[in-house]
Each structure stands twice: as structure tokens, then as C-alpha cells.
Amino acid sequence: MTTRFTLAGVLIPLIIFGLLATEVQAAVRRVPGGPGAGRRRMTTPAPQRPAVGPPEPLPVQPPGATQPIRRRIPILPPAERWDKIAKQQGPHTCPREEIVDDPEIHYHRAWTGGGLCGRRTAVKIDCCFGYARMPGATGCPLAKPLTSMMTTAKLAGAGAFVDLNEITGLKDAISGASYHALTLLAPTDRAMEQVPEDILESFKSKGQQNLTNYREGPPSLLFHMLAGRVDLKSLPSNSLIPSLFADQPIRFNVFPNGLITADCVPIVQGSLESLEGVVHTIQSPLHSLLTKGDQVGGFSQVPSRLSSIVDTVARHPNLRRFSAVLSHAQRTAASPLLSHSQLHVRQGSMPAAIKPITLLAPTNDAFDVLPVEFLQSVLYNQEALTALISNHIIDGVMCSAIIGVGGGAPGPRPGVGPAAGVGPAGRPLRKPQHMLKTVVGNVFHATCEHKASNESDISHSDFSTADAMNATIDHTNETEEKIHHDVKSKHSADKTKGSNVYMIGDAVILKSDIMALDGVIHVIDRVLVPKRARSLSQIATEMGLTILLSLLPNTGLQSALVGRGSLTLFAPSDDAFKALPKDTLDYYYRNPQETRILLLSHMTSGRYLSSNLIDNQIMHSRYPGRDMRVRVYRGTKMVEDGKIIHSDEEGSNGVLHVVDQVLIPAEESIVSYLTNQGNYTHFLEALSKTTPPLIDLIDSSAMEKQNHSEGLKDHHFTVFAVADDDMNWENDYIVSSSEPYSLPDDAKINNIMRNHIIPSVVWTKVVERNGFYPLQTLDNGESEDGPGRSVMLRRVANGETVTAGNAVVIDEDGENGVQQSNIICTNGVVHRVKGLIHTPNPYQSTSG
């Protein structure tokens, strides 16, 4: 055969061979790795160029690969974060944070976190005070020459305050005392608008004063001056620094977000160097400029501040009721302010160490709305009185300026009220919240909302402390909606462009930041009553136990839940009352005397917390002859047939526990109940055929006569009863229903019936969903080596079915109107089951 070579026959194999060789060479050079790595070749790496735009996402790690360790970047406080950003712009650059809708309100430390009282803030980077920019240079390298203290204050925006110093001659006296460095707290021009007109007029009418020494100046101005340079950078978090007015102290606080306050007044711009010292501009005048005192030596003498919180409260007429409560607590040694009230500080002396606190002081009107019975029960209960006072005390200094800090997320916060401010895209900013924890442990939401000057509002800073204390205020139905027109009319309301309303819980702060030697006071319009100081009736009302409270009238038990004394109440929930047959509940409404007996059966004398309850504890109820038995299970506590679903609500006159069942006392024994039902004849017959007869064991009338019952705990049992229709001695249920019923041999009766008697009380509600609960049965009577076997009680995953061994518990919750399980008897509980328990523990492998 002649072989023919064609051109196509030669070229096609060569092309295929070349392609295969290229693929093999490429496969050798491929880089193993993640997705897409096989298409990269190993070549010399090219020089890296700066990335333009956002960085590429990291490749996804294959399953099982070790993840790289990521470093956590610490979150800086707002002020430190903006200080760091400003420094990156160049030397001597500083942030300036201002309210968006009112730029006149600004701060030279960005501490608000984006919002203040629901108003948005914006931060700008500019030159620090005393520095300027230079062409071609970054930042602000040009240092301006230092000026005098008053000139520095005027350049910083405190010109009106400087004018007062010029009128009194204090400016010249300071400039002549160059050998003493001073610190000046200068209110801004916006802040000086808060000073009452009569105080300003008193300065203007005196004209120039000839002062030989600056210490001769007006006390109201000397209170704004400190000896030496006070550097804010090295200032402790809580400092008392004497002022030039009789060494009265000014409290400086440094908060974590960067806010620095002097007597709770925010410092707008701090540490401004001058020739004679340092200047700090402040957002509001200190209290000396807001209060007109007695005329002494031609000047207004401001009242002394060297007094404790207790003494400060006692001086103000509008806090007399609260002061009386504190005084009563001191006499009974129930006051946590006892150490503060004993503080005696002489003029000119400073305590070495005082732990400051914040006191929320309710007005007289706030106490007037409280029931007289409640006040009496609290005043004569030392623990309740301590809790009441402690619920008005906060550790440390909490200035009002710190409330409402933060921008908040867009949209209203449920349960807080209308949103304040406007966020991105025109959406409202929710009202910021600040969490406050009192020394008693209760937590309150402190909120702040800004209101314009044309809105009804409670003024925060435009009237004096004395005016706020002496004003008569009506708090009947109002919180922040009620306005103190009588106070606000004393000063011109059009001076400020708006004010902030501060709230702690539901209480409005009427006057904030009243300074004392050992802390700060905020006056509020209602008493913050903790549960420990409230009566059981008030606690039941707050918890919504409406049906229980509706049964109280005409029973004469209102005083037991309101007055003095100490009791423990196991209060059925509304659902527990609704689960009763309608005729039963109507019967109690129509018969107050029976209702009284029922409710007394839910009470016991003394305080019993759930942590102190023990198993099989017997509590004597307030109704003679009716006792309550406590059973303790894993994760559950029962009182009779009621499960404690909410516990340990302590009040001034006792403890309240909520149970899920009305504790109606049992009236018949187990045998009596089964006999009266009429459909348990075969079950009772089988119990009587055992050796010894089990029916005698569960029969309360025969127990005392039977020696074999001794040793069983209080003779209480759980019985899994089988109705006549379900009695089947064959495990497979093959026996025809037409065949007459008959008993098996004695051995089988003894073996099976012992699965139905448990020598303790067990309620099916103690078994959790998909949970198992083993129940120890009676001894089989043949051996003394130990207890008998156990019956496994189980609740399936759907939570609706409960089984005892192989038998199903019937009608656990009584949904068909006739409850057939969890039946309380005088000597135990009965559960109806579907069939005899042939296999006590079908889940042997599971339980073992």
C-alpha cells in the first residue's frame, strides 16, 4: 500500500503539538493560590506605584486557611480624635465646633460627638488662638505677640465682661499687679446676655472705682479669678481650686469626651496665654454674676458657697420637704448623705479629699402629689427611706452640659418622644440619651431637647438660683410642657435665642448645676421613687396586675398592700385569673368575703426572697389553716400549683412574686378526687390489689394507720391516673374492646402500678421544652438495697405534649374547659395519662 502525505495531514498534528507544548510550559510557571492565581506568571515584580482611589479588597481565604491577626484600633474620645485631625493639618491648628443652626454657640474643643441636645454640630479646622497663617507654609506658624489679660479676653470674644472690669477699675488694678500670675474665667459676650439687668445697672451706676489692689474688687468678678496659672492640660478630673473671693472654691471637671467645665459651665476656649496669666472663656457666667447679694462695701456681696449639699438644700424654701426627709433619715441613721451632712468646713480652709456626688432634689410640690400613706410608710421604714434617698444620688459630678451629647441616629427613638434636630437628607435626629445610674442601682435615661425662644420652655440658665428655689411651681399634670412664667418674666426672655430642657426619666430639671462643696444639685419636679420604697399596691399597679387589684375593693385588704408591715405576696397574673372558669371569677367578684379568704391565702407574713426558698418549705398564709408548700426544681420554683414567673419585687412593705396560677386551696384528697370523678374505678381497684395496697398509701385517712408510709416526706404524692376507657394491661393494645375487662396476675399489677405512684409532688410545667425529668418511683417491696426505678417525664419539642414513660399526659392545660392534669389535692397532685405505664423509661440510652 502506498502511503500518501498531504499538506493538511502534516500541518494539523504540528499545530496541535505546539499548542500542547505552550500549555505545559504555562502550567509550570503558574502560581498556586487563591482564585485567579493560575493566570499570573512568576516574573520580576514591577515597582509599586501609589494606589489611586480605594484599595482593592483582600482575596477571600480558602476554607481552613489561617486568618491574619487584625489589630484593633482604639476608639478615641471625640475631642482627642479631632485634636489629632487638626494636628495633621500643620502646626498650631485647632478644631472649632459650632452649632449648625446657631454658629455663635461654639467650642474650641470638639467634644459633642456630632450633636448637642438634638442640634447638629459641625467642626472646622482653623488657627489656634494667638497664631496665624504664613504664605507658602502649612498650618499656622506665625506666633502673635502676647497681650494683657483683659485684651486677650476681649480678643477671645469676652468684651462685655472686660467692660465690667473697666467700670469697676479692676482692669487697671490687675495690670498693675504684674508680680502675681492669675487665671481669668471670662464669660463670652453671648454668655453675658444672661446676666440680669439690675446687676448690670449696678455696675454701670458706680462708674470708675479707685482700687489700690485687685483683691478689693467686686466679689462677683473676683469669683471669676484664680491665683496662679490653671493649665487645663494637666487638670485632674475633679478639682476644687480657690477663687480670689474669700477663697471660695470653683469645681473643675474633665469628662471622658473632652468637655472641661468650671462649676459645670463648659469652657469655650481654654489656656489662652497673656502677659499676666491665662484666660479661659466660659459659656455662662458663674453663679456670682447671676445672683444679687447684699451690699457690702459698695459692692454686691454674693452668698458663700462653702457649705455641704445637705446645708445647701436646707437653705432653700422650695426644697423644705426634701430637706425634712433628709433630716429624718439622719436621725434614724438611714441616710447615705450622713457623712456629707456632718462635714463642717471653716472659711478659707479646703478639705483634703471629698468624694463628690450629684443630688437630684425634688421640690415641695413634687412631694405634695404623693399619698400621705405612702410617705408615712417610707419614713418609718429605714430600708425604704435609704432606697428613696439613694435613688436621688449619683456618684461623681454629673453636669447638665454632658446630657444630650451626641448626634444620635436618624429617626425618632420609640418611647422617648418627638425627635429633635434634623439629620442627613432632612431626616430628624432622635433625641440623644445619657444613661445615669443612681447609687441604689436604678438606671435613668437623661435627655435634652432644645427649644426656641418663642416656644414654651423651662429656662435652664436665664434666672438665678434664688429665683428658682423661691418660685411657686404647679406640677399637677405637667412635665416639660408647663412653663414657669412667674420666674421667666423677671428677666427678658428675648435675650437668648433658645434654651435647653433637661429631663431625667420623666422628671424635668427645673434648675441645674447648683454647686456645693461636696457636689452638685439639680432641682427636679417629681420624686424618683424606687420600687424598694413603693408599696406592694404600687408595684402591682406598675406590673399590670389589674384583676388582682380589681378584686381588692370591699375586702379590706387595701391597707395591707399599702401600709406598714412586712408580707410576701404571691400575686396571680392576669392570665392566671383569666384561666379560671368564668363562673368562678364572677363568684369572687360577687362575694368579697370569699375573695378576702382567697387573697389572704396568697399572703404570708415576713419577707421571703426567691433566693431563700427551700424545697418542701411550708408557709403559713394570712388565712388561718391554709398553708402554702414550696417546691424547688432546677430553674423553677413552685408555690402550691403556681409557678413563680417573676420574682423578688421588693417594696416598702414586703415582697411580691408573680405566679401563673390562682392558688385555690385543695378540698379533697387524691383518693377522694379519683372516686368522685367516677371514671377511675379500674385504676382504684388495681391500686387496692397491690401488695401492700397502694391505695392505702395515697389515702390521707389511712396514712396515719399504715406503718409502711413512714419515712415518706410529708405523705405527698404524684399519681398518674388512668381512666377506665384507657385501662389496658397489654402493652401492644391488641386486645379487642369487646372483650370484658379483667385484672392480670398480682405480679403484673405490682410491677405496673408502682410506675403510677411517685413519692413527691411534680408539676408538668417544670419540664422544659424538649426536656427530660426522671421521677423516682416507690420501692418494689422485695429489696431494701435502694429505691425503685424511675419514670421519665418528657416534654416534646413542640412544647404541647408531655409523656410519662410510654403514656401521654392528657389535657395538661385544661383546654377543653375541664382540667384533668395538674390537679392539686390535699396530699399531692393527679395527672391523667393515656394508658398504663408499661415502660417507665423508653429513653434509657438518652438518660443514661
Side-chain angles (χ1 to χ4, degrees), residues 144 304 334 372 514 568 626 633 642 654 666 689 691:
K144 299 180 181 179
S304 175
V372 177
I514 302 174
T568 299
R626 290 191 175 179
Y633 307 94
K689 296 294 184 181
T691 307

Side-chain angles (χ1 to χ4, degrees), residues 67-71:
Q67 297 292 333
I69 299 176
R70 297 181 179 180
R71 296 181 179 179

Side-chain angles (χ1 to χ4, degrees), residues 644-664:
I644 299 178
I645 57 178
H646 190 91
S647 61
D648 300 334
E649 289 292 344
E650 283 200 84
S652 61
N653 58 337
V655 184
L656 185 147
H657 307 284
V658 181
V659 293
D660 69 344
Q661 193 89 8
V662 180
L663 308 182
I664 300 179

Side-chain angles (χ1 to χ4, degrees), residues 51-66:
V52 178
E56 295 182 359
L58 295 175
V60 179
Q61 294 287 340
T66 303

Side-chain angles (χ1 to χ4, degrees), residues 129 148-160 162-163 166 171 186 189 279:
F129 184 85
S148 66
M149 178 176 288
M150 292 300 170
T151 303
T152 301
K154 185 174 289 188
L155 293 174
V162 173
D163 293 340
E166 290 179 349
K171 175 182 176 182
D189 292 342
V279 177

